Amino acid sequence: MCRSWAVPPLRDGALALGLLLIFELPGFDPYRHASGFWWAAMAIPGIGALAWWRVRPRLVWAITTGVAAGLLAMRGGHEWGALSPLVVFPAPLIALAGVAAHTSRWQATVALVLSVTGLESALLWDVHRPESLVLTVVLGVAAWALGDGSRSRRAYQSAAAAASAAAERARIARELHDIVAHHISVVALQAGTARMLAESGHPPDPTLLAGLESASRQAMAELRQTLGVLRHSPDSAAPQPGLDQLPVLLDRLADTGLSASVEGKPGTLPGSVDLAAYRVVQEGLTNVLRHSQSRTARVKIRRDPGALTVRVLDDGPARPGPTESGQGLLGLRERAATHGGWLRAGPRSGGGFELCAHLPLGENP
């Protein structure tokens, strides 16, 4: 951001003008202080600099603190006995708070030490009010604490915003992975089957090609819908898939040779839970397709008071060869965790593989 001395922020300019009127103009009254004119005139640059305390915090602090210390050291004679030296403190204290709010903590701490040292030394030059020595330290620490608290709040808000952005990126990545991984797996298997039929001299069945086309179109539709949500386009209002879409999913997988059955009824679910449960089933069946030699799978859905349990099972055995990194399962675990639930996946004791997700519904049991 480009910073300039030319036009100070309006609110800071008003603050500087107000302090000038309150603390400095009485010094121009010759009936109040015999030598107050020059004292007040010299204070104008120190207070006027406050108009830029957010723009140039360190430089404004140096100006205001230097002017204040100089004015305190200059005061002398009995005519100043009725004038508290604290009248020059608002400007350096506000500037000190600005340094604490807009610079690092160690820089602000150095400024605090220098401020207190400089002002205390000036007060000791001619002590009229001993209590001012204590108040200088108290007020300096208070100004530093206020500025540091403001800096800490901004740092916390910035960190929270960064964490929120990271969580949103992770959510988008999970959604895109679940869409792409499933549909591309289906397309790859169907295309591979079509290739092998063509190589053997048998033309691919039209049903197989229709399934390949359907999976491709479905992938594009879900991707457009997800990206539309990100762009806040009018199409973003389109409903996300849920467990009511399982028949369509099972029909699409049947075209690849995987037969899956569904047991249990989920009932009405919150939209986000419904989507999460659908993604669990989608990823589980896709994993069966990619990693198991079994051509059958079972989906078991159980609705308990306050929670939904979704299980995807196959009888195995696993396909030979190296396994992948399991980003899909990691995404599902994160998805379940965002709802306060959990997900487990592993081999079954009788053979095969099981994926199990527990999703709280936020209901009173």
Coordinates of all heavy atoms in Angstrom, one line a residue, residues 61-107:
W61 N 6.1 8.7 16.3 CA 6.4 8.4 17.7 C 7.7 9.2 18.1 O 7.8 9.8 19.1 CB 6.6 6.9 18.0 CG 7.4 6.6 19.2 CD1 6.9 6.6 20.5 CD2 8.8 6.4 19.3 NE1 7.9 6.3 21.4 CE2 9.1 6.2 20.7 CE3 9.8 6.2 18.4 CZ2 10.3 5.9 21.2 CZ3 11.1 5.9 18.9 CH2 11.4 5.8 20.2
A62 N 8.7 9.1 17.2 CA 10.0 9.8 17.5 C 9.7 11.3 17.6 O 10.3 12.0 18.5 CB 11.0 9.5 16.4
I63 N 8.9 11.9 16.7 CA 8.7 13.4 16.7 C 7.9 13.7 18.0 O 8.3 14.7 18.7 CB 7.9 13.8 15.5 CG1 8.7 13.6 14.2 CG2 7.4 15.2 15.6 CD1 7.9 13.9 12.9
T64 N 6.8 13.0 18.3 CA 6.0 13.4 19.4 C 6.8 13.2 20.8 O 6.7 14.0 21.7 CB 4.7 12.6 19.5 OG1 5.0 11.2 19.5 CG2 3.8 12.9 18.3
T65 N 7.5 12.1 20.9 CA 8.3 11.9 22.1 C 9.4 12.9 22.3 O 9.6 13.4 23.4 CB 8.8 10.4 22.1 OG1 7.7 9.5 21.9 CG2 9.5 10.1 23.4
G66 N 10.1 13.2 21.2 CA 11.2 14.2 21.3 C 10.6 15.5 21.7 O 11.2 16.2 22.5
V67 N 9.5 16.0 21.0 CA 9.0 17.3 21.3 C 8.5 17.3 22.8 O 8.7 18.3 23.5 CB 7.8 17.6 20.4 CG1 7.0 18.8 20.8 CG2 8.4 17.8 19.0
A68 N 7.8 16.3 23.2 CA 7.3 16.2 24.6 C 8.4 16.3 25.6 O 8.4 17.0 26.6 CB 6.4 15.0 24.8
A69 N 9.5 15.5 25.4 CA 10.6 15.5 26.3 C 11.3 16.9 26.3 O 11.6 17.4 27.4 CB 11.6 14.4 25.9
G70 N 11.4 17.5 25.2 CA 12.0 18.8 25.1 C 11.2 19.9 25.8 O 11.7 20.7 26.6
L71 N 9.8 19.8 25.7 CA 9.0 20.8 26.4 C 9.0 20.6 27.9 O 9.0 21.6 28.6 CB 7.5 20.6 25.8 CG 7.3 21.0 24.4 CD1 5.9 20.7 24.0 CD2 7.5 22.5 24.2
L72 N 9.0 19.3 28.3 CA 9.1 19.1 29.7 C 10.4 19.6 30.3 O 10.5 20.1 31.4 CB 8.9 17.6 30.0 CG 7.5 17.0 29.7 CD1 7.6 15.5 29.9 CD2 6.5 17.7 30.6
A73 N 11.5 19.4 29.6 CA 12.8 19.9 30.1 C 12.9 21.4 30.1 O 13.6 22.0 30.9 CB 13.9 19.3 29.2
M74 N 12.1 22.1 29.2 CA 12.1 23.6 29.1 C 11.4 24.3 30.2 O 11.7 25.4 30.5 CB 11.5 24.0 27.8 CG 12.4 23.9 26.6 SD 11.6 24.3 25.1 CE 11.1 26.0 25.5
R75 N 10.4 23.6 30.7 CA 9.6 24.3 31.7 C 10.4 24.6 33.0 O 11.2 23.8 33.4 CB 8.3 23.4 32.1 CG 8.6 22.1 32.7 CD 7.4 21.3 32.9 NE 7.3 20.6 34.2 CZ 8.2 19.8 34.6 NH1 9.2 19.4 33.9 NH2 8.1 19.3 35.8
G76 N 10.1 25.7 33.5 CA 10.9 26.2 34.7 C 10.3 27.4 35.2 O 9.5 28.1 34.6
G77 N 10.6 27.7 36.4 CA 10.1 28.9 37.0 C 8.8 28.7 37.7 O 8.1 27.7 37.4
H78 N 8.4 29.6 38.5 CA 7.1 29.3 39.3 C 5.9 29.4 38.5 O 4.8 28.9 38.9 CB 7.1 30.3 40.5 CG 8.2 30.1 41.5 ND1 8.4 29.0 42.3 CD2 9.3 30.9 41.7 CE1 9.5 29.1 43.0 NE2 10.1 30.2 42.7
E79 N 5.9 30.1 37.4 CA 4.7 30.3 36.6 C 4.2 28.9 36.0 O 3.1 28.8 35.6 CB 4.9 31.3 35.4 CG 5.8 30.8 34.3 CD 7.3 31.1 34.6 OE1 7.6 31.4 35.7 OE2 8.0 31.1 33.6
W80 N 5.1 27.9 36.0 CA 4.7 26.6 35.5 C 4.2 25.7 36.6 O 3.8 24.6 36.3 CB 5.9 26.0 34.7 CG 6.2 26.7 33.5 CD1 7.2 27.6 33.3 CD2 5.5 26.6 32.2 NE1 7.2 28.1 32.0 CE2 6.1 27.5 31.3 CE3 4.4 25.9 31.8 CZ2 5.7 27.6 30.0 CZ3 4.0 26.0 30.5 CH2 4.6 26.9 29.6
G81 N 4.3 26.1 37.8 CA 3.9 25.2 38.9 C 2.5 24.7 38.8 O 2.2 23.7 39.3
A82 N 1.6 25.6 38.3 CA 0.2 25.2 38.2 C -0.2 24.4 37.0 O -1.3 23.9 36.8 CB -0.7 26.5 38.2
L83 N 0.8 24.3 36.1 CA 0.5 23.5 34.8 C 1.1 22.1 34.9 O 2.3 22.0 35.0 CB 1.1 24.3 33.7 CG 0.9 23.6 32.3 CD1 -0.6 23.6 31.9 CD2 1.7 24.4 31.2
S84 N 0.2 21.1 34.9 CA 0.7 19.8 35.0 C 1.5 19.4 33.8 O 1.1 19.7 32.7 CB -0.5 18.8 35.2 OG 0.0 17.5 35.1
P85 N 2.6 18.7 33.9 CA 3.4 18.3 32.7 C 2.7 17.2 31.9 O 3.0 16.9 30.8 CB 4.7 17.7 33.3 CG 4.3 17.4 34.7 CD 3.3 18.4 35.2
L86 N 1.6 16.7 32.5 CA 0.8 15.6 31.8 C 0.1 16.1 30.6 O -0.4 15.4 29.8 CB -0.2 14.9 32.8 CG 0.5 14.2 34.0 CD1 -0.6 13.5 34.8 CD2 1.5 13.2 33.5
V87 N 0.0 17.5 30.5 CA -0.7 18.0 29.3 C 0.0 17.7 28.0 O -0.6 17.7 26.9 CB -0.9 19.5 29.5 CG1 -1.8 19.9 30.7 CG2 0.4 20.3 29.5
V88 N 1.3 17.4 28.1 CA 2.0 17.1 26.9 C 2.1 15.6 26.6 O 2.7 15.2 25.6 CB 3.5 17.6 26.9 CG1 3.5 19.1 27.2 CG2 4.3 16.9 28.0
F89 N 1.5 14.8 27.5 CA 1.6 13.3 27.3 C 0.7 12.7 26.3 O 1.0 11.7 25.7 CB 1.4 12.7 28.7 CG 2.6 12.6 29.5 CD1 3.7 13.4 29.3 CD2 2.6 11.8 30.6 CE1 4.8 13.4 30.1 CE2 3.8 11.7 31.4 CZ 4.9 12.6 31.1
P90 N -0.5 13.2 26.0 CA -1.4 12.5 25.1 C -0.8 12.2 23.7 O -0.9 11.1 23.2 CB -2.6 13.5 24.9 CG -2.6 14.2 26.2 CD -1.2 14.4 26.6
A91 N 0.0 13.2 23.2 CA 0.6 12.9 21.8 C 1.6 11.8 21.9 O 1.5 10.8 21.1 CB 1.2 14.2 21.3
P92 N 2.6 11.8 22.7 CA 3.5 10.7 22.7 C 2.9 9.3 23.1 O 3.3 8.3 22.7 CB 4.6 11.1 23.7 CG 4.0 12.1 24.6 CD 3.0 12.8 23.7
L93 N 1.9 9.4 24.0 CA 1.2 8.1 24.4 C 0.5 7.5 23.2 O 0.5 6.3 23.0 CB 0.3 8.4 25.6 CG 1.0 8.7 26.9 CD1 0.0 9.0 28.0 CD2 2.0 7.5 27.3
I94 N -0.3 8.4 22.5 CA -1.0 7.9 21.3 C 0.0 7.3 20.3 O -0.3 6.3 19.7 CB -1.9 9.0 20.8 CG1 -3.0 9.3 21.7 CG2 -2.5 8.5 19.4 CD1 -3.8 10.5 21.3
A95 N 1.1 8.0 20.1 CA 2.1 7.6 19.1 C 2.7 6.3 19.6 O 3.0 5.4 18.8 CB 3.1 8.7 19.0
L96 N 2.9 6.1 20.9 CA 3.5 4.9 21.4 C 2.5 3.7 21.2 O 2.9 2.6 20.8 CB 3.8 5.0 22.9 CG 4.3 3.7 23.6 CD1 5.6 3.2 23.0 CD2 4.5 4.0 25.1
A97 N 1.2 4.0 21.4 CA 0.2 2.9 21.1 C 0.2 2.6 19.7 O 0.0 1.4 19.3 CB -1.2 3.4 21.6
G98 N 0.4 3.6 18.8 CA 0.5 3.3 17.3 C 1.6 2.4 17.0 O 1.5 1.5 16.1
V99 N 2.8 2.7 17.6 CA 4.0 1.8 17.3 C 3.7 0.4 17.8 O 4.0 -0.6 17.1 CB 5.2 2.4 18.0 CG1 6.4 1.4 18.0 CG2 5.6 3.7 17.4
A100 N 3.1 0.2 19.0 CA 2.8 -1.1 19.5 C 1.7 -1.8 18.6 O 1.7 -3.0 18.5 CB 2.2 -1.0 20.9
A101 N 0.8 -1.0 18.0 CA -0.2 -1.6 17.2 C 0.2 -2.0 15.8 O -0.3 -2.9 15.2 CB -1.5 -0.7 17.1
H102 N 1.2 -1.3 15.2 CA 1.5 -1.4 13.8 C 2.9 -1.9 13.5 O 3.4 -1.9 12.4 CB 1.2 -0.1 13.1 CG -0.2 0.3 13.1 ND1 -0.7 1.2 14.0 CD2 -1.2 0.0 12.3 CE1 -2.0 1.4 13.8 NE2 -2.3 0.6 12.8
T103 N 3.7 -2.2 14.6 CA 5.0 -2.7 14.4 C 5.1 -4.0 15.2 O 4.2 -4.4 15.8 CB 6.1 -1.7 14.8 OG1 6.0 -1.5 16.2 CG2 5.9 -0.4 14.1
S104 N 6.3 -4.6 15.1 CA 6.5 -5.8 15.9 C 6.6 -5.6 17.4 O 6.8 -4.4 17.8 CB 7.8 -6.5 15.4 OG 8.9 -5.7 15.7
R105 N 6.4 -6.6 18.2 CA 6.4 -6.4 19.6 C 7.8 -6.0 20.2 O 7.8 -5.1 21.1 CB 6.0 -7.7 20.3 CG 6.0 -7.7 21.8 CD 5.3 -8.9 22.4 NE 3.9 -8.9 22.2 CZ 3.1 -9.9 22.5 NH1 3.6 -11.0 22.9 NH2 1.8 -9.8 22.2
W106 N 8.8 -6.5 19.6 CA 10.1 -6.0 20.1 C 10.4 -4.6 19.8 O 11.0 -3.8 20.6 CB 11.3 -6.9 19.6 CG 11.7 -6.7 18.2 CD1 11.2 -7.3 17.1 CD2 12.6 -5.8 17.7 NE1 11.8 -6.9 15.9 CE2 12.7 -5.9 16.3 CE3 13.5 -4.8 18.3 CZ2 13.5 -5.1 15.5 CZ3 14.3 -4.1 17.5 CH2 14.3 -4.2 16.1
Q107 N 10.0 -4.1 18.6 CA 10.1 -2.7 18.3 C 9.3 -1.8 19.2 O 9.7 -0.8 19.7 CB 9.7 -2.4 16.8 CG 10.7 -3.0 15.8 CD 10.3 -2.7 14.4 OE1 9.1 -2.7 14.1 NE2 11.2 -2.5 13.5

